[in-house]
């Protein structure tokens, strides 16, 4: 079930937005992201496509009762990404691993140059 979809135009070229994507975790503005581990990464020599699998550790801000019931405040997210420098696309898909038997949260993000303005990214 899809609950919502959003679109945004970044007023920066695809290269800048793609690079910023790799620098987003960890940083001082997202202290809940405690660690990012690259599990697998490879580049297809014929296409130049970079595929990456990352495990993201997140510390949730939850009430003490929730921590006691569920055994803690740390959760894990698995992220797959694919960067195609020829087509100028970056696609990321993430899925929660923690409590996935109770609640499944998936996210898909795609960055590509704006068709109306190549200096912008959608």
């Amino acid at each position: 079930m899809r609950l919502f979809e959003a679109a945004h135009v970044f007023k920066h070229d695809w290269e800048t937005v793609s690079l910023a994507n790799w620098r987003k975790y960890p940083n001082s503005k997202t202290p809940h992201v405690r660690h990012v581990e690259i599990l697998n990464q490879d580049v297809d020599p014929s296409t130049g496509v970079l595929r990456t699998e990352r495990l993201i550790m997140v510390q949730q801000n939850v009430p003490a009762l929730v921590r006691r019931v569920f055994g803690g405040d740390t959760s894990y997210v698995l992220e797959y990404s694919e960067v195609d420098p020829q087509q100028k696309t970056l696609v990321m898909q993430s899925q929660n691993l923690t409590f996935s038997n109770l609640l499944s949260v998936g996210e898909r993000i795609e960055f590509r140059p704006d068709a109306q303005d190549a200096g912008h990214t959608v």
Side-chain angles (χ1 to χ4, degrees), residues 19-39:
L19 180 58
N21 174 71
W22 294 108
R23 294 181 175 171
K24 70 180 179 179
Y25 301 133
N27 73 63
S28 62
K29 298 198 184 302
T30 57
H32 64 288
V33 177
R34 307 300 288 174
H35 185 73
V36 177
E37 186 73 32
I38 296 174
L39 303 176

Side-chain angles (χ1 to χ4, degrees), residues 9-110:
V9 176
F10 295 93
K11 295 182 180 179
H12 303 282
D13 61 26
W14 179 83
E15 290 81 359
T16 301
V17 172
S18 297
L19 180 58
N21 174 71
W22 294 108
R23 294 181 175 171
K24 70 180 179 179
Y25 301 133
N27 73 63
S28 62
K29 298 198 184 302
T30 57
H32 64 288
V33 177
R34 307 300 288 174
H35 185 73
V36 177
E37 186 73 32
I38 296 174
L39 303 176
N40 190 22
Q41 192 169 52
D42 67 85
V43 176
D44 183 318
S46 62
T47 64
V49 172
L50 169 67
R51 291 180 184 85
T52 304
E53 180 180 11
R54 302 193 303 175
L55 181 66
I56 303 169
M57 183 176 85
V58 180
Q59 186 172 12
Q60 304 292 345
N61 185 15
V62 295
L65 176 62
V66 173
R67 284 195 301 271
R68 282 194 297 272
V69 170
F70 290 105
D73 60 357
T74 301
S75 61
Y76 296 90
V77 175
L78 189 59
E79 176 190 88
Y80 295 99
S81 63
E82 190 169 291
V83 180
D84 186 334
Q86 302 302 317
Q87 299 297 317
K88 291 192 175 184
T89 59
L90 185 152
V91 178
M92 291 186 336
Q93 298 184 71
S94 61
Q95 183 70 45
N96 66 303
L97 298 176
T98 306
F99 306 125
S100 60
N101 59 327
L102 300 174
L103 176 67
S104 178
V105 179
E107 177 182 45
R108 183 178 189 282
I109 299 172
E110 182 174 346

